[in-house]
Amino acid sequence: METIQIPTVSDRHVTADHWPGDQTPVLLAHGGGQTRHSWGGTAEKLASNGHRVVSIDLRGHGDSSWDPDGDYSMAAYCADAQHVVKWIGEPVAWVGASLGGMTGLHAVDGDPHSYTSLTLVDITPRPAKAGVNRILNFMAARANDGFASLDEAADTISEYQPHRPRPTDLTGLAKNLRLRDDGRWYWHWDPSFITTRGQVNSEHARDRHHDELEEMARRITMPTLLIRGKLSDLVTEGEVQAFMEMVPHAEYVDVKGAAHMIAGDKNDVFTDAVVSFLDR
């Protein structure tokens, strides 16, 4: 595995971990507020099966460039996706969680010939409002103040995700936070990302974007997989049923014991579902 920087526009870039391989390239795109490290062992498993794997930090997240103008629109994310796919040089299987899934919907709709399949991880065109609000509130609560220690950050995450055991080894958590000169730990993403989503006129805060995503979903003809966490409050069974009506040919996997961050909650089960779908 190598860590690379893929140029996008001007002097900006998308940071990615890259595993070479001869099988269908797989592009992993994490959810909002996460990083490329959120996939756990999924990338390694796909690579061990021969896939070329590219796991990216979306703009404003991890080690990718933060936009100086706070442009975290779907058009910007989609443009970044096009740069990455162009760099890969052949059609890819897109696997996207939450924000990464929405980006995937936009990307495959704009250029379907550049993608071989679409896997959506706990996201549909019309996610449950209560779940969306809970995520946004959690992300906004400490975006500017940070944490006094990794232990404090771990305690806060445990309160948000009571179903998941609190980790004793915080090495992985450190990859999602930045230690600044003031001695405090901050999320590894641009606070402007969450600020724009809280604005009344944000494309993410109004039904129009959901309508647009639904239209995109209804146009999908490529192989499609929806993976939902059984405990998720973002994609309920009602959202699943609605999605299957939009994309009748889609496959669906429900991961027991997992919530919104499925790859971290039940990584083995999640990975097996993705591998099984991609390796047919």
Side-chain angles (χ1 to χ4, degrees):
M1 184 270 287
E2 61 176 341
T3 300
I4 57 177
Q5 292 185 345
I6 302 172
T8 54
V9 295
S10 184
D11 59 347
R12 292 167 222 167
H13 66 270
V14 165
T15 297
D17 287 339
H18 175 232
W19 291 258
D22 298 325
Q23 301 301 315
T24 304
V26 181
L27 198 158
L28 300 173
H30 61 77
Q34 300 176 19
T35 71
R36 68 187 189 277
H37 304 295
S38 302
W39 294 104
T42 302
E44 285 88 350
K45 177 63 175 177
L46 289 167
S48 70
N49 279 30
H51 289 280
R52 181 182 180 187
V53 181
V54 180
S55 179
I56 64 173
D57 281 334
L58 295 169
R59 70 161 51 198
H61 293 71
D63 296 312
S64 290
S65 297
W66 292 10
D67 191 275
D69 301 318
D71 183 3
Y72 297 113
S73 64
M74 294 311 305
Y77 282 114
C78 188
D80 289 346
Q82 293 169 344
H83 282 285
V84 175
V85 173
K86 182 178 179 181
W87 176 84
I88 293 173
E90 58 182 308
V92 306
W94 184 283
V95 181
S98 200
L99 174 65
M102 286 193 289
T103 302
L105 276 169
H106 279 264
V108 303
D109 187 70
D111 186 15
H113 298 295
S114 292
Y115 303 88
T116 58
S117 66
L118 174 65
T119 297
L120 300 177
V121 184
D122 214 61
I123 190 65
T124 62
R126 297 186 181 277
K129 184 177 181 180
V132 172
N133 289 339
R134 195 170 80 91
I135 292 171
L136 293 178
N137 289 338
F138 169 74
M139 294 176 64
R142 306 296 287 269
N144 294 305
D145 297 335
F147 303 92
S149 65
L150 287 176
D151 279 311
E152 183 181 355
D155 290 340
T156 301
I157 294 171
S158 292
E159 292 176 5
Y160 173 68
Q161 298 179 318
H163 66 284
R164 182 190 293 186
R166 184 188 184 283
T168 54
D169 181 359
L170 303 183
T171 304
L173 178 59
K175 294 180 179 179
N176 289 317
L177 294 160
R178 285 178 171 175
L179 180 61
R180 296 185 184 171
D181 292 339
D182 61 2
R184 295 182 67 81
W185 293 85
Y186 295 83
W187 294 123
H188 215 332
W189 45 268
D190 185 353
S192 296
F193 166 76
I194 198 67
T195 301
T196 57
R197 275 154 177 73
Q199 296 173 353
V200 175
N201 294 325
S202 167
E203 67 179 331
H204 300 278
R206 59 179 184 244
D207 289 338
R208 191 175 76 179
H209 187 223
H210 294 165
D211 292 340
E212 184 180 11
L213 289 173
E214 179 173 338
E215 291 173 2
M216 292 175 179
R218 293 185 182 279
R219 289 194 287 265
I220 295 174
T221 58
M222 67 182 62
T224 302
L225 172 66
L226 172 63
I227 304 179
R228 169 189 174 244
K230 187 73 172 180
L231 303 178
S232 173
D233 57 359
L234 192 77
V235 177
T236 68
E237 292 184 5
E239 276 76 51
V240 171
Q241 293 173 7
F243 180 79
M244 298 305 290
E245 188 276 327
M246 297 174 206
V247 191
H249 69 276
E251 299 178 42
Y252 167 56
V253 174
D254 203 352
V255 181
K256 183 179 180 180
H260 182 54
M261 298 180 184
I262 304 174
D265 285 347
K266 293 290 181 179
N267 190 261
D268 289 343
V269 177
F270 165 77
T271 299
D272 288 346
V274 174
V275 170
S276 175
F277 175 69
L278 295 179
D279 283 355
R280 284 184 201 147

